[in-house]
Amino acid sequence: MSLPRAKSPRQLYREVRSYDRVITPDGPLASAINRQLDRSHLGPFAIPPRRLAVGRREESEDRLAFLDIIAEEDIPWKRCAYAVGNILQCWEHQGSHDAIFEYEAYVDEATTRAVEQIGELDTASMRLTTETMDPAHDVVVVEPAMLTHLEQSYLPAEYDTVSLFTDEAFELPPVRIHDSPTAIVETVVDTLTAETADTVGIVLDQESEYSPLIESALESAGIPFFGGPGFTDRSDHRLFLQFLRTAYRGTDTRLTQIRSLLTASECDVTDRDTNKRLHELETDELAWLTAFCRNIHEYTFSEALSVFERRTDTTLEAFRDELTTLGIANESVTEHRLDELAYYLQTYEVPVDRENKGVLLADAKSASYVGRDVVFYLGLDDGWTHAAPRRPWVDQDAQFTRNLNSFQLLLQSGSQQHYLVQDAAGGSPVTPSLYFEELLDTDIDRFSDLPSTTHQTVTSQRDSVGFERHPTDITPEPIETISKSSLNTYVNSPRDYYFSRIVDTPEKAHLTEGTLLHDFAEFYATHPDVVDETTLSEIVELLVERVQPLVRSVDEKTRRTEYRAGLKTIMSYLDANPPTDGAFLTPSSGGDNAVATHFDMAVESPVTERRFVDTDRHINGMIDLVESPRELLDYKSGSEDTARAIVKNAAIDDPTDTPDFQAPLYLTYWRSQTPNEELTFTFFYVTELVDEVITGDADLNDALTTVSYYPESPTDHVQREAFFEYLREQGSKKCQKILSKIEYPTYAALFDAAAFVETTDSDELIESEFGQTMIERLKAEIGDYKYVTTGSKQALRAMAARQQSAFFKPDLDAFEAFIDTQLTELNQRRTGAEPFPVAGLGGEPNYRRVDNRDLLLEGDQ
């Protein structure tokens, strides 16, 4: 695939060397032509119109105009910036500073005042408007179509033109497809050295992820660069704005929202506290910050900057100068003025003194030419496409032509061009810049539609990159048992499990609430006589106090009501279902219980909070309540699940995206304590009945979900007389009707006639040989009636449903083997034999259940 070939600076110089002035559409292109000069020349040779008009490098007119207007006029900053932007843009496309008045929809009082102020400024645009080039000079213009209307008005009456492009073809080099932006950046940086930096240019969309990645990688590798981070991009400048913003975030500000500020100011905050509210933590480390937030109106911007500088041990003279330039250094820090300051810094590029040495970083939407020998192009996606201004004064076709020519020239900068791209991201194709389709006259949906080569990611070998490694002779201690929460995490994402072992997890409101409700349940089961309305209110306040740093202040009243309802639900259940004598258990070893500690009482009941460690089965856990030798209960503070959902989420052959192995893990342990017994595990959703408790309509059964374990196979279970009686009494109506017409021996004989299919798919069971045989036999026994067929199908569905909502001996046998397999694999990974992958047994992890999301890189397996 080919494009019209752009002329090299040497070719252009040969065509224009005899002229006095060469007008170019781009400053770097002019510099490249000037470097070809082989004779003395008086005054500028190749130069863009604006630089020629003012005799120096042009400054940002929109910022200068904005500063001049706000110094003279009392206009809101956003409104002023909007007016200035429209005026200058219209001026560029229509040729006069007051052309905006032709478009009434864009004219208001602020615009009128801004036009008057701008008309008095000595700017490049005003000189382009009021002056023309010296007609005595012999002038040639390179690609005049790339000049705006205002720039063209500066040209003399007569001038020659030279095209940027030839009739020859430029064969587009193959794009190099990489797996990720990180791989692209590593590839570029691995080819650079500090000695070759001055010969290299990198073109990228400065608003894309490539910008911070390449800047960080170059800095880490010790390779100089320029053209990258601007005034607002400096981390300490951003932190100062965050510092001021913190004062106006309100009382619900979380430490995690200001973590970078706390780190910069050397405030030591534990990972466990990061979800807590700043203003609820009365610590010496944070006292200075909370005091500043309370007294923000007493500070001027300059004084606030001084506080920030002292705390972070930095000096921000450039920021202080900019505050003075804006005229707000000695103004009070109000939220309105802070909003205006933030808007100004987002809108305008504040000049930064920088040393122009090293790799040149160029913005794909600002540059037209890069004067370096080797040029890398990163991304080349639709972010490279200019968004033409949607204003009535803009000639859309002419603007598109300018942008297209600029892109075409940019692609051919340098003597070597390297296009590094992604073909897909997040499972979707990456769309190339639409300019490719226009230039190549073909449909291009993704980069693999272009000539391309695919590159596999390799680990960087640069010695200076990465952490130091020190070998150790320590052999990891094998993990002998695993809990349900660790197993859930490991199955969802082994990598997340790995990080959960080495990184502290922030305290979360729902977990803290759950722990406190568990503590109350244990306390009430042991000391029911202690809790009356007075102590209940005291316990509610204890819960509110403990959770307060983690929740919004506006939710406090609602939570107080919810807590009281949850506590009453627990009391009602334990009053109606007191646990049986726990003589068959050893006394509990006890543990931390916030409620018991508050009342200075002990909780050592043998039936509550039963911790177990079963090394034979490699499992451990904590049973909330042992109601009887055959009944276990667990308190839950979340939303209710059905028995079918609990069994489904415990699947080991086809894991769901919400794996939860608590029920089979606890039942596996308990069946070892009470062999060959039917067991039940009840989930008690203590916050499920809040509304009903408030209205007085609570039914405890609506908060309970019970899962049963049967010490037999599904086949043995459904052919038992007990299950036959269950179908007779609790099955669907037609099922009850047909079974009432037969006796158990007739039912049992069905299982001798054909093999029962153990499946949770009712349709599969109905269509099986057993299902069809059952229907035909019952027809023969009862009569060939429609209700017999319907009733038989209802019975078969009940058999499948029982398998969907209960555990059987083969299930827990398989679960024990599953635990062994997972623990063996886990311990192998801990020795370094293989990495901990991001993807779990079910494939891509459920990121809603990942605790260390920022440590799991996209595409990293």
Side-chain angles (χ1 to χ4, degrees), residues 419-444:
Y419 310 136
L420 284 69
V421 303
Q422 271 188 284
D423 192 49
S428 301
V430 172
T431 304
S433 170
L434 66 83
Y435 297 134
F436 280 111
E437 287 194 351
E438 187 70 22
L439 291 171
L440 300 174
D441 194 24
T442 186
D443 292 335
I444 301 172

PDB file of all heavy atoms in Angstrom, residues 419-444:
ATOM      1  N   TYR A 419       6.195   2.017  12.737  1.00  0.00           N
ATOM      2  CA  TYR A 419       4.812   2.145  13.193  1.00  0.00           C
ATOM      3  C   TYR A 419       4.506   0.985  14.152  1.00  0.00           C
ATOM      4  O   TYR A 419       4.449  -0.173  13.738  1.00  0.00           O
ATOM      5  CB  TYR A 419       3.845   2.107  12.016  1.00  0.00           C
ATOM      6  CG  TYR A 419       4.199   3.061  10.888  1.00  0.00           C
ATOM      7  CD1 TYR A 419       4.143   2.654   9.550  1.00  0.00           C
ATOM      8  CD2 TYR A 419       4.593   4.362  11.160  1.00  0.00           C
ATOM      9  CE1 TYR A 419       4.457   3.527   8.528  1.00  0.00           C
ATOM     10  CE2 TYR A 419       4.914   5.241  10.134  1.00  0.00           C
ATOM     11  CZ  TYR A 419       4.850   4.816   8.815  1.00  0.00           C
ATOM     12  OH  TYR A 419       5.181   5.680   7.802  1.00  0.00           O
ATOM     13  N   LEU A 420       4.302   1.297  15.419  1.00  0.00           N
ATOM     14  CA  LEU A 420       4.065   0.277  16.443  1.00  0.00           C
ATOM     15  C   LEU A 420       2.638   0.399  16.951  1.00  0.00           C
ATOM     16  O   LEU A 420       2.244   1.462  17.471  1.00  0.00           O
ATOM     17  CB  LEU A 420       5.051   0.437  17.608  1.00  0.00           C
ATOM     18  CG  LEU A 420       6.488  -0.043  17.358  1.00  0.00           C
ATOM     19  CD1 LEU A 420       7.205   0.862  16.361  1.00  0.00           C
ATOM     20  CD2 LEU A 420       7.279  -0.083  18.656  1.00  0.00           C
ATOM     21  N   VAL A 421       1.865  -0.676  16.829  1.00  0.00           N
ATOM     22  CA  VAL A 421       0.428  -0.596  17.086  1.00  0.00           C
ATOM     23  C   VAL A 421      -0.064  -1.834  17.830  1.00  0.00           C
ATOM     24  O   VAL A 421       0.635  -2.839  17.943  1.00  0.00           O
ATOM     25  CB  VAL A 421      -0.357  -0.463  15.763  1.00  0.00           C
ATOM     26  CG1 VAL A 421       0.112   0.742  14.973  1.00  0.00           C
ATOM     27  CG2 VAL A 421      -0.214  -1.735  14.922  1.00  0.00           C
ATOM     28  N   GLN A 422      -1.295  -1.733  18.319  1.00  0.00           N
ATOM     29  CA  GLN A 422      -2.058  -2.878  18.825  1.00  0.00           C
ATOM     30  C   GLN A 422      -3.148  -3.202  17.817  1.00  0.00           C
ATOM     31  O   GLN A 422      -3.811  -2.302  17.293  1.00  0.00           O
ATOM     32  CB  GLN A 422      -2.728  -2.528  20.143  1.00  0.00           C
ATOM     33  CG  GLN A 422      -1.917  -2.796  21.394  1.00  0.00           C
ATOM     34  CD  GLN A 422      -2.782  -2.585  22.621  1.00  0.00           C
ATOM     35  OE1 GLN A 422      -3.053  -1.451  23.019  1.00  0.00           O
ATOM     36  NE2 GLN A 422      -3.220  -3.673  23.230  1.00  0.00           N
ATOM     37  N   ASP A 423      -3.353  -4.489  17.559  1.00  0.00           N
ATOM     38  CA  ASP A 423      -4.433  -4.882  16.658  1.00  0.00           C
ATOM     39  C   ASP A 423      -5.745  -5.063  17.404  1.00  0.00           C
ATOM     40  O   ASP A 423      -6.823  -4.900  16.835  1.00  0.00           O
ATOM     41  CB  ASP A 423      -4.065  -6.173  15.933  1.00  0.00           C
ATOM     42  CG  ASP A 423      -5.011  -6.478  14.782  1.00  0.00           C
ATOM     43  OD1 ASP A 423      -5.261  -5.559  13.970  1.00  0.00           O
ATOM     44  OD2 ASP A 423      -5.502  -7.623  14.686  1.00  0.00           O
ATOM     45  N   ALA A 424      -5.646  -5.394  18.676  1.00  0.00           N
ATOM     46  CA  ALA A 424      -6.857  -5.593  19.490  1.00  0.00           C
ATOM     47  C   ALA A 424      -6.553  -5.215  20.927  1.00  0.00           C
ATOM     48  O   ALA A 424      -5.416  -5.327  21.397  1.00  0.00           O
ATOM     49  CB  ALA A 424      -7.333  -7.044  19.417  1.00  0.00           C
ATOM     50  N   ALA A 425      -7.576  -4.758  21.621  1.00  0.00           N
ATOM     51  CA  ALA A 425      -7.451  -4.404  23.034  1.00  0.00           C
ATOM     52  C   ALA A 425      -8.746  -4.778  23.732  1.00  0.00           C
ATOM     53  O   ALA A 425      -9.833  -4.418  23.270  1.00  0.00           O
ATOM     54  CB  ALA A 425      -7.167  -2.910  23.208  1.00  0.00           C
ATOM     55  N   GLY A 426      -8.641  -5.515  24.816  1.00  0.00           N
ATOM     56  CA  GLY A 426      -9.835  -5.935  25.547  1.00  0.00           C
ATOM     57  C   GLY A 426     -10.774  -6.795  24.736  1.00  0.00           C
ATOM     58  O   GLY A 426     -11.982  -6.782  24.939  1.00  0.00           O
ATOM     59  N   GLY A 427     -10.207  -7.550  23.788  1.00  0.00           N
ATOM     60  CA  GLY A 427     -11.023  -8.431  22.972  1.00  0.00           C
ATOM     61  C   GLY A 427     -11.682  -7.771  21.781  1.00  0.00           C
ATOM     62  O   GLY A 427     -12.385  -8.432  21.010  1.00  0.00           O
ATOM     63  N   SER A 428     -11.475  -6.468  21.581  1.00  0.00           N
ATOM     64  CA  SER A 428     -12.084  -5.743  20.458  1.00  0.00           C
ATOM     65  C   SER A 428     -10.993  -5.190  19.551  1.00  0.00           C
ATOM     66  O   SER A 428      -9.914  -4.821  20.027  1.00  0.00           O
ATOM     67  CB  SER A 428     -12.959  -4.593  20.963  1.00  0.00           C
ATOM     68  OG  SER A 428     -13.993  -5.076  21.798  1.00  0.00           O
ATOM     69  N   PRO A 429     -11.257  -5.107  18.238  1.00  0.00           N
ATOM     70  CA  PRO A 429     -10.248  -4.565  17.328  1.00  0.00           C
ATOM     71  C   PRO A 429      -9.949  -3.106  17.645  1.00  0.00           C
ATOM     72  O   PRO A 429     -10.833  -2.350  18.060  1.00  0.00           O
ATOM     73  CB  PRO A 429     -10.913  -4.699  15.944  1.00  0.00           C
ATOM     74  CG  PRO A 429     -11.994  -5.702  16.119  1.00  0.00           C
ATOM     75  CD  PRO A 429     -12.467  -5.574  17.534  1.00  0.00           C
ATOM     76  N   VAL A 430      -8.700  -2.703  17.452  1.00  0.00           N
ATOM     77  CA  VAL A 430      -8.315  -1.303  17.585  1.00  0.00           C
ATOM     78  C   VAL A 430      -8.521  -0.641  16.221  1.00  0.00           C
ATOM     79  O   VAL A 430      -8.018  -1.121  15.205  1.00  0.00           O
ATOM     80  CB  VAL A 430      -6.846  -1.164  18.017  1.00  0.00           C
ATOM     81  CG1 VAL A 430      -6.400   0.293  17.974  1.00  0.00           C
ATOM     82  CG2 VAL A 430      -6.667  -1.727  19.425  1.00  0.00           C
ATOM     83  N   THR A 431      -9.273   0.453  16.215  1.00  0.00           N
ATOM     84  CA  THR A 431      -9.590   1.133  14.959  1.00  0.00           C
ATOM     85  C   THR A 431      -8.461   2.083  14.569  1.00  0.00           C
ATOM     86  O   THR A 431      -8.115   2.983  15.326  1.00  0.00           O
ATOM     87  CB  THR A 431     -10.897   1.936  15.097  1.00  0.00           C
ATOM     88  OG1 THR A 431     -11.940   1.066  15.527  1.00  0.00           O
ATOM     89  CG2 THR A 431     -11.273   2.580  13.772  1.00  0.00           C
ATOM     90  N   PRO A 432      -7.861   1.890  13.380  1.00  0.00           N
ATOM     91  CA  PRO A 432      -6.811   2.819  12.937  1.00  0.00           C
ATOM     92  C   PRO A 432      -7.388   4.200  12.648  1.00  0.00           C
ATOM     93  O   PRO A 432      -8.608   4.370  12.467  1.00  0.00           O
ATOM     94  CB  PRO A 432      -6.283   2.167  11.652  1.00  0.00           C
ATOM     95  CG  PRO A 432      -6.730   0.735  11.714  1.00  0.00           C
ATOM     96  CD  PRO A 432      -8.034   0.764  12.453  1.00  0.00           C
ATOM     97  N   SER A 433      -6.522   5.204  12.593  1.00  0.00           N
ATOM     98  CA  SER A 433      -6.959   6.553  12.236  1.00  0.00           C
ATOM     99  C   SER A 433      -7.691   6.514  10.902  1.00  0.00           C
ATOM    100  O   SER A 433      -7.266   5.823   9.958  1.00  0.00           O
ATOM    101  CB  SER A 433      -5.745   7.484  12.131  1.00  0.00           C
ATOM    102  OG  SER A 433      -6.121   8.721  11.578  1.00  0.00           O
ATOM    103  N   LEU A 434      -8.792   7.243  10.803  1.00  0.00           N
ATOM    104  CA  LEU A 434      -9.591   7.214   9.565  1.00  0.00           C
ATOM    105  C   LEU A 434      -8.829   7.782   8.378  1.00  0.00           C
ATOM    106  O   LEU A 434      -9.204   7.570   7.223  1.00  0.00           O
ATOM    107  CB  LEU A 434     -10.915   7.944   9.764  1.00  0.00           C
ATOM    108  CG  LEU A 434     -10.921   9.453  10.020  1.00  0.00           C
ATOM    109  CD1 LEU A 434     -10.834  10.249   8.727  1.00  0.00           C
ATOM    110  CD2 LEU A 434     -12.208   9.844  10.748  1.00  0.00           C
ATOM    111  N   TYR A 435      -7.727   8.508   8.654  1.00  0.00           N
ATOM    112  CA  TYR A 435      -6.936   9.042   7.546  1.00  0.00           C
ATOM    113  C   TYR A 435      -6.326   7.928   6.692  1.00  0.00           C
ATOM    114  O   TYR A 435      -6.066   8.125   5.507  1.00  0.00           O
ATOM    115  CB  TYR A 435      -5.821   9.958   8.067  1.00  0.00           C
ATOM    116  CG  TYR A 435      -6.319  11.188   8.793  1.00  0.00           C
ATOM    117  CD1 TYR A 435      -5.756  11.575   9.996  1.00  0.00           C
ATOM    118  CD2 TYR A 435      -7.362  11.960   8.271  1.00  0.00           C
ATOM    119  CE1 TYR A 435      -6.208  12.701  10.672  1.00  0.00           C
ATOM    120  CE2 TYR A 435      -7.829  13.076   8.941  1.00  0.00           C
ATOM    121  CZ  TYR A 435      -7.245  13.445  10.142  1.00  0.00           C
ATOM    122  OH  TYR A 435      -7.693  14.558  10.806  1.00  0.00           O
ATOM    123  N   PHE A 436      -6.102   6.762   7.262  1.00  0.00           N
ATOM    124  CA  PHE A 436      -5.571   5.648   6.480  1.00  0.00           C
ATOM    125  C   PHE A 436      -6.530   5.272   5.362  1.00  0.00           C
ATOM    126  O   PHE A 436      -6.121   5.047   4.222  1.00  0.00           O
ATOM    127  CB  PHE A 436      -5.316   4.437   7.386  1.00  0.00           C
ATOM    128  CG  PHE A 436      -4.048   4.503   8.170  1.00  0.00           C
ATOM    129  CD1 PHE A 436      -4.084   4.672   9.545  1.00  0.00           C
ATOM    130  CD2 PHE A 436      -2.808   4.401   7.552  1.00  0.00           C
ATOM    131  CE1 PHE A 436      -2.920   4.728  10.295  1.00  0.00           C
ATOM    132  CE2 PHE A 436      -1.637   4.467   8.287  1.00  0.00           C
ATOM    133  CZ  PHE A 436      -1.686   4.633   9.662  1.00  0.00           C
ATOM    134  N   GLU A 437      -7.821   5.156   5.696  1.00  0.00           N
ATOM    135  CA  GLU A 437      -8.812   4.806   4.673  1.00  0.00           C
ATOM    136  C   GLU A 437      -8.854   5.854   3.573  1.00  0.00           C
ATOM    137  O   GLU A 437      -8.970   5.537   2.385  1.00  0.00           O
ATOM    138  CB  GLU A 437     -10.193   4.652   5.308  1.00  0.00           C
ATOM    139  CG  GLU A 437     -10.376   3.395   6.133  1.00  0.00           C
ATOM    140  CD  GLU A 437     -11.836   3.128   6.444  1.00  0.00           C
ATOM    141  OE1 GLU A 437     -12.676   4.011   6.166  1.00  0.00           O
ATOM    142  OE2 GLU A 437     -12.135   2.037   6.968  1.00  0.00           O
ATOM    143  N   GLU A 438      -8.763   7.132   3.969  1.00  0.00           N
ATOM    144  CA  GLU A 438      -8.832   8.214   2.990  1.00  0.00           C
ATOM    145  C   GLU A 438      -7.616   8.194   2.064  1.00  0.00           C
ATOM    146  O   GLU A 438      -7.736   8.349   0.844  1.00  0.00           O
ATOM    147  CB  GLU A 438      -8.920   9.552   3.724  1.00  0.00           C
ATOM    148  CG  GLU A 438      -9.175  10.749   2.828  1.00  0.00           C
ATOM    149  CD  GLU A 438     -10.585  10.763   2.245  1.00  0.00           C
ATOM    150  OE1 GLU A 438     -11.473  10.116   2.848  1.00  0.00           O
ATOM    151  OE2 GLU A 438     -10.787  11.408   1.189  1.00  0.00           O
ATOM    152  N   LEU A 439      -6.437   7.982   2.626  1.00  0.00           N
ATOM    153  CA  LEU A 439      -5.208   8.014   1.836  1.00  0.00           C
ATOM    154  C   LEU A 439      -5.032   6.757   0.993  1.00  0.00           C
ATOM    155  O   LEU A 439      -4.522   6.819  -0.137  1.00  0.00           O
ATOM    156  CB  LEU A 439      -3.997   8.182   2.753  1.00  0.00           C
ATOM    157  CG  LEU A 439      -3.864   9.543   3.448  1.00  0.00           C
ATOM    158  CD1 LEU A 439      -2.758   9.498   4.496  1.00  0.00           C
ATOM    159  CD2 LEU A 439      -3.582  10.643   2.424  1.00  0.00           C
ATOM    160  N   LEU A 440      -5.451   5.604   1.513  1.00  0.00           N
ATOM    161  CA  LEU A 440      -5.234   4.343   0.807  1.00  0.00           C
ATOM    162  C   LEU A 440      -6.444   3.910  -0.009  1.00  0.00           C
ATOM    163  O   LEU A 440      -6.382   2.923  -0.743  1.00  0.00           O
ATOM    164  CB  LEU A 440      -4.875   3.247   1.822  1.00  0.00           C
ATOM    165  CG  LEU A 440      -3.605   3.527   2.651  1.00  0.00           C
ATOM    166  CD1 LEU A 440      -3.420   2.453   3.711  1.00  0.00           C
ATOM    167  CD2 LEU A 440      -2.381   3.608   1.745  1.00  0.00           C
ATOM    168  N   ASP A 441      -7.567   4.638   0.162  1.00  0.00           N
ATOM    169  CA  ASP A 441      -8.780   4.385  -0.608  1.00  0.00           C
ATOM    170  C   ASP A 441      -9.239   2.931  -0.491  1.00  0.00           C
ATOM    171  O   ASP A 441      -9.512   2.245  -1.481  1.00  0.00           O
ATOM    172  CB  ASP A 441      -8.556   4.747  -2.086  1.00  0.00           C
ATOM    173  CG  ASP A 441      -9.889   4.838  -2.853  1.00  0.00           C
ATOM    174  OD1 ASP A 441     -10.926   5.077  -2.202  1.00  0.00           O
ATOM    175  OD2 ASP A 441      -9.882   4.655  -4.091  1.00  0.00           O
ATOM    176  N   THR A 442      -9.296   2.447   0.735  1.00  0.00           N
ATOM    177  CA  THR A 442      -9.778   1.091   0.984  1.00  0.00           C
ATOM    178  C   THR A 442     -10.329   1.022   2.397  1.00  0.00           C
ATOM    179  O   THR A 442     -10.003   1.866   3.240  1.00  0.00           O
ATOM    180  CB  THR A 442      -8.645   0.055   0.811  1.00  0.00           C
ATOM    181  OG1 THR A 442      -9.183  -1.253   0.936  1.00  0.00           O
ATOM    182  CG2 THR A 442      -7.545   0.264   1.841  1.00  0.00           C
ATOM    183  N   ASP A 443     -11.180   0.023   2.662  1.00  0.00           N
ATOM    184  CA  ASP A 443     -11.744  -0.144   3.997  1.00  0.00           C
ATOM    185  C   ASP A 443     -10.696  -0.764   4.920  1.00  0.00           C
ATOM    186  O   ASP A 443     -10.087  -1.798   4.599  1.00  0.00           O
ATOM    187  CB  ASP A 443     -12.977  -1.052   3.951  1.00  0.00           C
ATOM    188  CG  ASP A 443     -14.141  -0.394   3.227  1.00  0.00           C
ATOM    189  OD1 ASP A 443     -14.173   0.848   3.190  1.00  0.00           O
ATOM    190  OD2 ASP A 443     -15.003  -1.121   2.697  1.00  0.00           O
ATOM    191  N   ILE A 444     -10.494  -0.142   6.063  1.00  0.00           N
ATOM    192  CA  ILE A 444      -9.523  -0.640   7.033  1.00  0.00           C
ATOM    193  C   ILE A 444     -10.199  -0.639   8.401  1.00  0.00           C
ATOM    194  O   ILE A 444     -10.454   0.423   8.972  1.00  0.00           O
ATOM    195  CB  ILE A 444      -8.253   0.228   7.061  1.00  0.00           C
ATOM    196  CG1 ILE A 444      -7.594   0.243   5.676  1.00  0.00           C
ATOM    197  CG2 ILE A 444      -7.271  -0.281   8.111  1.00  0.00           C
ATOM    198  CD1 ILE A 444      -6.445   1.211   5.562  1.00  0.00           C
TER     199      ILE A 444
END
